[in-house]
Amino acid sequence: MSKLTFGAGIWHFATYVDRYATDGYGPPRDLIEMIDLAGQVRDLSVVDINFPWSADVSADAVETALKRNNLSVIGITPEIYNREFSRGAFTNPDAGVRRRANEVCNQAADLVRRFGASYVKLWPGQDGWDYPFQVDHRKLWRLSIDGIGELASQNPDLKFVIEYKPREPRVHMAFDSVARTLLGIEAMGLPNVGILLDFGHALFAGESPSDSAQLAIDHGRLFGMDVNDNLRAWDDDMVAGTVHPIELFEFFYTLRKNNWEGVWQLDQFPFRENGVEAADMAIDFLKHIDTALDRLDFEALQAAQDRQDALSAQKLARKALFGI
Amino acid sequence: MSKLTFGAGIWHFATYVDRYATDGYGPPRDLIEMIDLAGQVRDLSVVDINFPWSADVSADAVETALKRNNLSVIGITPEIYNREFSRGAFTNPDAGVRRRANEVCNQAADLVRRFGASYVKLWPGQDGWDYPFQVDHRKLWRLSIDGIGELASQNPDLKFVIEYKPREPRVHMAFDSVARTLLGIEAMGLPNVGILLDFGHALFAGESPSDSAQLAIDHGRLFGMDVNDNLRAWDDDMVAGTVHPIELFEFFYTLRKNNWEGVWQLDQFPFRENGVEAADMAIDFLKHIDTALDRLDFEALQAAQDRQDALSAQKLARKALFGI
Amino acid sequence: MSKLTFGAGIWHFATYVDRYATDGYGPPRDLIEMIDLAGQVRDLSVVDINFPWSADVSADAVETALKRNNLSVIGITPEIYNREFSRGAFTNPDAGVRRRANEVCNQAADLVRRFGASYVKLWPGQDGWDYPFQVDHRKLWRLSIDGIGELASQNPDLKFVIEYKPREPRVHMAFDSVARTLLGIEAMGLPNVGILLDFGHALFAGESPSDSAQLAIDHGRLFGMDVNDNLRAWDDDMVAGTVHPIELFEFFYTLRKNNWEGVWQLDQFPFRENGVEAADMAIDFLKHIDTALDRLDFEALQAAQDRQDALSAQKLARKALFGI
Amino acid sequence: MSKLTFGAGIWHFATYVDRYATDGYGPPRDLIEMIDLAGQVRDLSVVDINFPWSADVSADAVETALKRNNLSVIGITPEIYNREFSRGAFTNPDAGVRRRANEVCNQAADLVRRFGASYVKLWPGQDGWDYPFQVDHRKLWRLSIDGIGELASQNPDLKFVIEYKPREPRVHMAFDSVARTLLGIEAMGLPNVGILLDFGHALFAGESPSDSAQLAIDHGRLFGMDVNDNLRAWDDDMVAGTVHPIELFEFFYTLRKNNWEGVWQLDQFPFRENGVEAADMAIDFLKHIDTALDRLDFEALQAAQDRQDALSAQKLARKALFGI
């Protein structure tokens, strides 16, 4: 029996559109339906919820739906990447739109308080650039730092987490990597801004997710994480463990080694799959990883790593993960 | 004054959605509006039109709109990648859906006849796979070949062009590269199936677009082409010439060298830009390329290529393109 | 106890140089030393040997060394990628060098006969291009096909296998993918030319190695294979199973499903590791895969694939591979 | 007539080996020969020189050779990536080897003083990891920072520049990106450590080189730079301007806009080309860029960037670069 807490972004249970299937991969679902689906996942306890909601959804209704599904809220993700912010949220060239981004995020902060959640999650997917010569890079980065810094200063009682990603929908996102994001956070100089480390984004950024986690931890900024999988070249948001189980195992090894405690979250987009089944399947694998960590000889592994002895280290990991 | 014919996919003048900006990058536009925008581009003569259309758009209305904008139709692109076909068109596991794909494509064929267009364009973006172990690769490839082969056999009076791409929306598309597509076309063994070579897709596939064009030409299968630009790692559909002008120049050099005649088309997705301006800008650069080809010393270049002398060849190209 | 035959390229037991560590990653080893190291690998039966050898190594000495290590030869790999051929072997702009490539390959063919090996392995790593505009793509591809076709025609009693790779050392190799190579082989029209499919090269090419194997099998051209691992973006030649165990499992699943019988070879470059240990470690994982295939429910998997049901298929694979 | 100072790494004039062409792409050249070749480049004034030298080369001989070719030294690059350091220099698991790395770098520092050069250039290409689970990421990063910090503390009169790169020869380098390197430099907390920004490494790292330059400048750490080109997926070290002229132009635009003054250096590896010709060709293009910057309307461009108006910005750049 696992002592772990599992979570998921509520969008895991949505249907999706993209630039080709503009009519969607299935009929639209509203937030309440998504929560009810999340409730069907065997071991899910917490969710991250997008905001704002459609006019017919009230906070009370959300609360009721969460309660009947035994779910609590870990974070609120303001939608600072839809049409209004399609040319940027914190870095939009229009000061009025930047102001609007601040407002929406402050509303999200209020929801964090109301739901007793852990943080406002910022994913500035439209803040960046597409073309060579398009932006003044100093100015854009300055706006990124100032915009989030302002928000965090306005809400010193709350945590704000930045989820970096190399790109999409922008061709290049300003917060593109763990190091760049830490550099920005250090420039803000505030205690309540940290990183939400997405395993797949780290892979996509050419990072070793285990190294990314260690770096964020060593800066005291690993405030949250989520997992999924991809083919390293795009944010495919596939089911965790289906492509890169070994690096996923190394990622959780690093978390345990550092006594990092927090929710094991899913950020998957099952475009053509059943969302509940996709979540169950990922969680089953995460439990396997958890028991594999119990089996892993941490001392021998540390000794191998001290020698940078790749083969010995891999054999220890393999034994724990595959039983060979 | 250019003797070239320029074209564009009509979606160049649409607004777009993606999985984040689900409310779109702008208010929706209908086909007639798009045609009227296409008509504003200085040197555009032909368009490629998606099908089916919304209920309120008739073929007569389209014809009228085209006429008032002095546009003709080069191809019809059936939407075999929306919700109905989100698990595949020709390779859908459900035979009924495969039948539907055939129907839609046959309707597109009728429109090609009605508009006196050149081809039905097939872009089977949902035909492929996402996960390891998901598909029987022999079966999937067989269905790809049979589905298109059947269509081409049913319409021997028309041309069908396949536009390959490595991926998106599928994590892996069956028609992923120029060589794979030619292999499939050869297996069909029909004269009326060819390639629509997208410059950006070739870049994205790790190909040299010039080599892709030559290979398709040497198999007698280069039936069409379009251009755009990207960062080589995704199908960004940026404005042609803004990132990779030298390979774009080499691509058109290869076309001229082979006396390939056809429309110079655009396949751009100006998510955050003005569509008319983006088209004008691309066409201006294509004209520059055309005059640069006039300046290029083909004989000296052939001699350098016969020696595989990279620096001499590049100097000749550079002189023609940059004037240095 | 495994009924499998394991093999390795003899270079697995070499020391290496690269453009930075020009003094090598260890003291040079001669062929006899490499064979004696290969003999120390627990379950290795066959080797692929480079040619030519240094002046002090005779075929008799090689034979003696192989015998005392219970090794036989599966292939001979002529070194058509060293200084003499650094501007190409079959496609060198100098006809004299092309002639020399043919001679060296014919000498390799004689060694294949002498050692009772299965094939001459052709890896034309220098045949391709570096720069835009450098080559006449039609001519280069023609030379590729003609050069190998001539060789195969001169030796109808032997098999020739082409090992494709996207790039390195050339920025772009002519035989860059499974489909391109099959297209070239079909153009040669000879029964004795096939593919040596390197798992890592397929990954590096953006292919699904399982799909590549199926395609080569369906063309009757899968003459050999070898395995290793990498991060998908370069030919890292790491130990098999250390990064992508699931796709490796799918690859062998495809081979068994097709009743493909042949040697399970290693093509690894343990730059900083012990070569014998790296081979043992890989073979141990391949044995695990073999027993996992015994456990795998082929019928249920086929049914899942017929539905293109990714999650069910993955669960079956996972159960067999991880025991969960 | 250009007021620019052009430089090159002296290895630009070497012959190369790689893991396949182990006999090299040409006969070996000694340092004096390389200097004499550098002297043949039309506008080259300064060189960066590797160290240590072979036993028969003295500092006096080097000085004489430099003098007769009118060359001065900008930096000394200690070879902390050859066999001795193949498992790491600053991060080697063996403390004795780390000590040796420090010694070699201190010797390089002495040479910087003797030649009146600007900096010791550190390129820790072997410091990193290859396999998942191989290293303790905290420890490895700590060693990276401490090793370079120690060196810089020992030589407060000199500058040390770190040249980051994502990978090669290691599968993953510790100093992999501009942001990570700045993070490390900030952790060192010393004024005399900065970045040598390689245009191609930035491209390879998925960065926009212009953004990388701006970020390093804004941290007061852009101590040097060099240029070349590649296909974004590997450090091809091709001739500058042959593939990505627009991003190269943007890079120099950013330098000029910030009044960054320094040598325009080349870091090219002309494996199969004439080194002198490759340098001349690159410098000719850099001069074109310099005059294009003179033509560029900085004010209008700034205005376009303030609006993040990609098309207007690109048109201004295009006009200056292509004359259209």
Side-chain angles (χ1 to χ4, degrees):
Chain A
M1 223 219 67
S2 181
K3 72 228 162 277
L4 298 169
T5 305
F6 295 104
I10 199 65
W11 54 90
H12 190 293
F13 306 98
T15 52
Y16 311 100
V17 300
D18 62 28
R19 63 171 170 149
Y20 299 111
T22 55
D23 57 347
Y25 285 79
R29 289 189 193 126
D30 68 22
L31 179 55
I32 305 300
E33 290 174 284
M34 291 187 228
I35 293 172
D36 284 334
L37 284 171
Q40 295 177 26
V41 178
R42 280 196 308 275
D43 293 276
L44 203 73
S45 315
V46 305
V47 289
D48 179 332
I49 296 182
N50 304 102
F51 172 84
W53 307 325
S54 55
D56 57 330
V57 174
S58 70
D60 285 347
V62 171
E63 201 161 17
T64 305
L66 289 167
K67 204 163 288 178
R68 75 168 165 262
N69 287 289
N70 290 311
L71 294 169
S72 62
V73 179
I74 184 169
I76 299 291
T77 299
E79 292 192 332
I80 51 174
Y81 41 76
N82 55 13
R83 190 192 299 178
E84 184 175 10
F85 303 109
S86 64
R87 303 187 73 229
F90 305 113
T91 66
N92 198 292
D94 179 334
V97 180
R98 295 199 298 270
R99 189 56 29 217
R100 275 285 300 141
N102 182 274
E103 282 169 24
V104 172
C105 291
N106 269 301
Q107 290 164 10
D110 287 339
L111 275 182
V112 166
R113 291 186 189 95
R114 151 142 202 186
F115 284 105
S118 301
Y119 48 70
V120 177
K121 194 183 79 189
L122 303 173
W123 181 70
Q126 302 281 12
D127 290 81
W129 60 90
D130 299 305
Y131 285 86
F133 282 101
Q134 180 172 5
V135 300
D136 179 322
H137 289 289
R138 172 184 284 162
K139 200 172 276 193
L140 187 102
W141 186 231
R142 198 66 255 162
L143 287 172
S144 297
I145 291 171
D146 291 348
I148 296 179
E150 181 191 13
L151 202 49
S153 299
Q154 293 165 335
N155 299 278
D157 58 318
L158 290 189
K159 284 199 236 178
F160 291 81
V161 298
I162 303 173
E163 186 175 355
Y164 68 86
K165 187 164 91 159
R167 51 165 306 183
E168 195 216 9
R170 276 285 179 185
V171 168
H172 197 112
M173 271 180 63
F175 290 100
D176 60 2
S177 61
V178 68
R180 181 73 178 243
T181 306
L182 287 171
L183 214 52
I185 290 173
E186 295 307 315
M188 294 172 207
L190 297 166
N192 58 331
V193 185
I195 282 180
L196 183 299
L197 180 48
D198 179 288
F199 175 81
H201 295 182
L203 273 187
F204 179 18
E207 301 172 1
S208 291
S210 160
D211 175 59
S212 313
Q214 187 63 62
L215 190 73
I217 287 171
D218 290 343
H219 281 80
R221 300 288 182 178
L222 190 67
F223 286 12
M225 60 90 164
D226 54 39
V227 294
N228 44 52
D229 216 331
N230 62 46
L231 296 193
R232 294 180 197 272
W234 189 252
D235 183 28
D236 299 311
D237 285 325
M238 295 160 78
V239 174
T242 56
V243 189
H244 295 109
I246 295 174
E247 281 142 303
L248 189 67
F249 187 36
E250 190 193 16
F251 178 71
F252 283 107
Y253 158 73
T254 299
L255 295 186
R256 186 181 285 195
K257 180 166 141 180
N258 286 278
N259 300 310
W260 188 89
E261 312 243 313
V263 177
W264 291 25
Q265 286 191 83
L266 305 179
D267 183 1
Q268 306 180 147
F269 275 65
F271 281 90
R272 301 173 190 83
E273 288 76 34
N274 178 292
V276 175
E277 188 187 356
D280 277 333
M281 190 178 165
I283 290 175
D284 284 346
F285 195 72
L286 296 183
K287 289 179 181 173
H288 176 64
I289 279 190
D290 188 49
T291 59
L293 285 175
D294 294 339
R295 277 192 300 269
L296 183 65
D297 185 339
F298 273 63
E299 217 170 305
L301 181 51
Q302 184 64 53
Q305 291 187 342
D306 288 345
R307 299 188 312 271
Q308 298 178 13
D309 176 349
L311 301 191
S312 296
Q314 273 268 344
K315 279 180 212 167
L316 290 161
R318 197 164 82 174
K319 192 177 172 191
L321 191 64
F322 292 94
I324 51 167
Chain B
M1 223 220 65
S2 181
K3 71 226 163 279
L4 298 169
T5 306
F6 294 105
I10 198 66
W11 53 90
H12 190 294
F13 306 97
T15 53
Y16 311 100
V17 300
D18 62 29
R19 63 171 171 151
Y20 299 111
T22 55
D23 57 347
Y25 285 78
R29 288 190 195 126
D30 69 23
L31 179 54
I32 305 301
E33 289 175 284
M34 292 187 228
I35 292 172
D36 284 334
L37 284 171
Q40 296 178 27
V41 178
R42 282 196 307 274
D43 293 276
L44 204 71
S45 315
V46 304
V47 290
D48 178 332
I49 296 183
N50 303 102
F51 172 85
W53 308 325
S54 55
D56 56 330
V57 174
S58 70
D60 285 348
V62 171
E63 202 161 16
T64 305
L66 289 166
K67 204 163 286 179
R68 76 167 165 264
N69 287 289
N70 290 314
L71 293 169
S72 62
V73 180
I74 183 170
I76 298 290
T77 299
E79 292 193 332
I80 50 173
Y81 41 74
N82 56 12
R83 191 192 298 179
E84 183 174 11
F85 303 109
S86 63
R87 304 187 72 226
F90 304 114
T91 66
N92 197 292
D94 180 334
V97 180
R98 295 199 298 270
R99 189 58 27 218
R100 275 287 298 142
N102 181 272
E103 283 168 24
V104 173
C105 291
N106 269 300
Q107 290 163 12
D110 286 340
L111 276 181
V112 166
R113 290 184 190 96
R114 154 144 199 182
F115 285 105
S118 301
Y119 48 70
V120 177
K121 193 183 78 189
L122 303 173
W123 180 70
Q126 302 282 12
D127 290 80
W129 60 90
D130 300 304
Y131 285 86
F133 282 102
Q134 181 172 4
V135 300
D136 179 322
H137 289 288
R138 170 185 287 160
K139 201 172 277 192
L140 188 102
W141 187 230
R142 197 66 256 163
L143 287 171
S144 297
I145 291 171
D146 290 349
I148 296 180
E150 181 191 11
L151 203 48
S153 299
Q154 292 166 336
N155 299 278
D157 57 319
L158 291 189
K159 283 200 236 178
F160 290 81
V161 298
I162 303 172
E163 186 176 356
Y164 67 85
K165 187 165 89 158
R167 50 163 308 181
E168 194 217 8
R170 276 284 180 184
V171 168
H172 197 112
M173 271 181 64
F175 289 100
D176 60 3
S177 61
V178 67
R180 182 73 178 242
T181 306
L182 287 171
L183 213 53
I185 291 174
E186 295 307 315
M188 293 173 208
L190 296 166
N192 59 330
V193 184
I195 283 180
L196 183 299
L197 180 48
D198 179 288
F199 175 81
H201 294 182
L203 273 187
F204 179 18
E207 302 172 0
S208 291
S210 159
D211 174 58
S212 313
Q214 187 64 62
L215 190 72
I217 287 171
D218 290 342
H219 281 79
R221 301 287 183 179
L222 191 67
F223 286 13
M225 62 90 164
D226 54 39
V227 295
N228 45 52
D229 215 331
N230 61 47
L231 295 193
R232 295 180 196 273
W234 191 251
D235 183 28
D236 299 312
D237 285 325
M238 296 160 77
V239 174
T242 56
V243 190
H244 296 108
I246 295 173
E247 281 143 303
L248 190 66
F249 187 36
E250 190 194 15
F251 177 71
F252 283 108
Y253 158 72
T254 299
L255 294 185
R256 186 181 285 195
K257 180 167 142 180
N258 286 277
N259 300 310
W260 188 89
E261 311 244 312
V263 177
W264 291 26
Q265 284 191 84
L266 305 179
D267 183 1
Q268 305 180 149
F269 274 65
F271 282 89
R272 302 173 189 81
E273 288 76 35
N274 179 291
V276 174
E277 189 187 354
D280 276 333
M281 188 177 167
I283 290 173
D284 283 346
F285 195 71
L286 296 183
K287 289 179 182 174
H288 176 65
I289 279 190
D290 188 48
T291 58
L293 285 175
D294 294 340
R295 276 193 300 270
L296 183 65
D297 185 338
F298 273 64
E299 216 170 307
L301 181 51
Q302 185 64 52
Q305 292 188 341
D306 289 346
R307 298 189 311 272
Q308 298 178 14
D309 177 349
L311 302 191
S312 296
Q314 274 269 345
K315 278 180 214 167
L316 291 161
R318 197 164 83 175
K319 193 177 172 193
L321 190 64
F322 292 93
I324 50 166
Chain C
M1 224 218 68
S2 179
K3 71 227 163 278
L4 299 169
T5 305
F6 294 104
I10 199 65
W11 53 91
H12 189 294
F13 306 99
T15 52
Y16 311 99
V17 299
D18 62 28
R19 63 173 171 150
Y20 300 110
T22 55
D23 57 347
Y25 285 79
R29 288 188 195 128
D30 69 22
L31 179 55
I32 305 300
E33 289 175 285
M34 290 188 230
I35 293 172
D36 285 335
L37 284 170
Q40 294 177 28
V41 178
R42 281 197 309 274
D43 292 275
L44 204 72
S45 313
V46 304
V47 288
D48 177 330
I49 296 181
N50 303 102
F51 171 82
W53 308 325
S54 57
D56 56 331
V57 173
S58 70
D60 286 348
V62 171
E63 201 161 16
T64 304
L66 290 167
K67 203 162 289 180
R68 76 168 164 261
N69 287 289
N70 290 313
L71 294 169
S72 62
V73 180
I74 184 168
I76 299 290
T77 298
E79 291 192 332
I80 51 175
Y81 42 74
N82 57 12
R83 190 191 299 179
E84 185 175 9
F85 303 109
S86 63
R87 304 188 71 229
F90 303 114
T91 65
N92 198 293
D94 179 334
V97 180
R98 295 199 298 268
R99 188 59 26 219
R100 275 287 298 143
N102 181 273
E103 281 168 26
V104 172
C105 292
N106 269 301
Q107 290 163 11
D110 287 340
L111 276 182
V112 166
R113 289 185 190 97
R114 153 141 201 187
F115 284 106
S118 302
Y119 49 70
V120 177
K121 193 183 78 191
L122 303 174
W123 181 69
Q126 303 281 12
D127 290 81
W129 60 90
D130 299 305
Y131 286 86
F133 282 102
Q134 181 172 4
V135 301
D136 178 323
H137 289 288
R138 171 184 285 161
K139 200 173 276 191
L140 188 102
W141 186 230
R142 197 68 254 164
L143 287 172
S144 296
I145 291 171
D146 290 349
I148 295 180
E150 179 191 14
L151 203 48
S153 299
Q154 292 165 336
N155 299 276
D157 58 319
L158 291 188
K159 284 199 234 176
F160 291 80
V161 298
I162 302 173
E163 187 175 355
Y164 68 87
K165 187 165 89 160
R167 50 163 310 182
E168 193 216 10
R170 275 287 179 182
V171 167
H172 197 112
M173 271 181 63
F175 290 100
D176 60 2
S177 62
V178 66
R180 180 75 178 241
T181 306
L182 287 171
L183 214 53
I185 291 173
E186 296 308 315
M188 294 173 207
L190 296 166
N192 59 330
V193 184
I195 281 181
L196 184 297
L197 179 48
D198 180 288
F199 175 82
H201 295 181
L203 273 188
F204 179 20
E207 302 171 1
S208 290
S210 159
D211 174 58
S212 313
Q214 188 64 60
L215 190 72
I217 287 172
D218 289 342
H219 281 79
R221 301 288 183 178
L222 190 67
F223 286 13
M225 61 89 166
D226 54 37
V227 294
N228 44 53
D229 217 330
N230 62 47
L231 296 193
R232 295 182 197 268
W234 190 252
D235 183 29
D236 299 312
D237 284 326
M238 294 161 77
V239 174
T242 56
V243 190
H244 295 108
I246 294 173
E247 281 143 302
L248 190 66
F249 186 37
E250 191 193 15
F251 178 70
F252 282 108
Y253 158 72
T254 300
L255 295 186
R256 186 181 284 194
K257 181 166 143 178
N258 287 277
N259 299 310
W260 189 89
E261 312 243 314
V263 176
W264 291 25
Q265 286 191 83
L266 305 179
D267 183 0
Q268 306 179 149
F269 275 65
F271 281 90
R272 300 172 189 84
E273 288 75 35
N274 178 291
V276 174
E277 189 187 353
D280 276 335
M281 190 178 165
I283 290 173
D284 283 347
F285 195 72
L286 296 183
K287 288 179 182 174
H288 176 65
I289 280 190
D290 188 48
T291 59
L293 285 175
D294 294 340
R295 277 192 300 271
L296 183 65
D297 186 339
F298 273 63
E299 219 169 303
L301 181 52
Q302 184 64 51
Q305 292 187 342
D306 288 346
R307 300 189 309 272
Q308 299 180 14
D309 176 348
L311 302 190
S312 296
Q314 273 268 345
K315 278 180 213 167
L316 290 161
R318 197 165 82 174
K319 192 177 173 193
L321 190 65
F322 291 94
I324 50 165
Chain D
M1 223 219 67
S2 180
K3 71 230 163 275
L4 298 169
T5 306
F6 295 104
I10 199 64
W11 54 91
H12 189 294
F13 307 98
T15 52
Y16 310 100
V17 300
D18 62 29
R19 62 172 171 150
Y20 298 111
T22 55
D23 58 346
Y25 285 80
R29 288 187 194 129
D30 70 21
L31 179 55
I32 305 301
E33 289 175 286
M34 292 187 228
I35 293 171
D36 285 335
L37 285 170
Q40 296 177 27
V41 178
R42 282 196 308 272
D43 292 276
L44 204 71
S45 313
V46 305
V47 289
D48 178 331
I49 296 182
N50 304 102
F51 172 83
W53 307 326
S54 56
D56 57 329
V57 173
S58 70
D60 285 349
V62 170
E63 201 161 16
T64 306
L66 290 166
K67 203 161 288 178
R68 76 167 165 263
N69 287 289
N70 290 314
L71 294 168
S72 62
V73 179
I74 183 169
I76 299 289
T77 299
E79 292 191 333
I80 51 174
Y81 43 74
N82 57 12
R83 189 192 299 180
E84 185 175 10
F85 303 109
S86 63
R87 305 188 70 229
F90 303 115
T91 66
N92 198 292
D94 179 335
V97 179
R98 295 200 297 269
R99 189 59 26 219
R100 275 286 299 143
N102 181 274
E103 282 169 25
V104 172
C105 291
N106 269 300
Q107 290 164 11
D110 286 340
L111 276 182
V112 166
R113 290 183 190 96
R114 155 144 198 185
F115 285 105
S118 303
Y119 49 70
V120 177
K121 193 183 79 191
L122 302 174
W123 181 70
Q126 302 282 11
D127 289 81
W129 59 89
D130 300 305
Y131 286 87
F133 282 102
Q134 182 172 5
V135 300
D136 178 323
H137 289 288
R138 171 185 286 161
K139 200 172 278 191
L140 188 103
W141 186 231
R142 197 66 256 162
L143 287 172
S144 297
I145 291 171
D146 290 349
I148 295 179
E150 181 191 13
L151 203 48
S153 299
Q154 291 166 337
N155 298 278
D157 58 317
L158 291 188
K159 284 200 234 175
F160 291 81
V161 298
I162 303 172
E163 186 176 355
Y164 68 86
K165 187 165 90 160
R167 50 163 311 181
E168 194 216 11
R170 276 285 180 184
V171 167
H172 197 111
M173 270 181 64
F175 290 100
D176 60 2
S177 61
V178 67
R180 180 76 179 240
T181 305
L182 287 171
L183 212 54
I185 290 173
E186 295 307 314
M188 293 174 207
L190 296 166
N192 59 330
V193 184
I195 283 180
L196 183 298
L197 180 48
D198 179 288
F199 175 82
H201 295 182
L203 273 188
F204 179 19
E207 301 170 0
S208 290
S210 160
D211 174 59
S212 313
Q214 188 63 62
L215 190 72
I217 286 171
D218 290 343
H219 281 79
R221 302 288 182 178
L222 190 66
F223 286 13
M225 61 89 165
D226 54 38
V227 295
N228 45 53
D229 216 330
N230 61 46
L231 296 194
R232 295 181 197 270
W234 190 251
D235 183 28
D236 299 313
D237 285 325
M238 295 160 78
V239 173
T242 55
V243 189
H244 295 109
I246 295 174
E247 282 144 302
L248 190 67
F249 186 37
E250 190 193 15
F251 178 71
F252 282 108
Y253 158 73
T254 299
L255 295 185
R256 187 181 283 194
K257 179 167 142 178
N258 286 277
N259 299 310
W260 189 89
E261 312 243 311
V263 178
W264 291 25
Q265 286 190 83
L266 305 179
D267 183 1
Q268 305 180 149
F269 275 65
F271 281 90
R272 302 173 189 82
E273 288 76 34
N274 179 291
V276 174
E277 188 187 353
D280 276 333
M281 188 177 167
I283 291 173
D284 283 347
F285 194 71
L286 296 182
K287 288 179 182 173
H288 175 65
I289 279 189
D290 188 49
T291 59
L293 285 175
D294 294 341
R295 277 192 298 271
L296 183 65
D297 185 339
F298 273 64
E299 218 170 304
L301 181 51
Q302 185 64 52
Q305 292 187 341
D306 289 345
R307 300 188 310 270
Q308 301 180 13
D309 176 350
L311 302 190
S312 295
Q314 274 268 344
K315 278 180 213 167
L316 290 161
R318 197 164 82 175
K319 192 177 172 192
L321 191 63
F322 293 93
I324 49 167

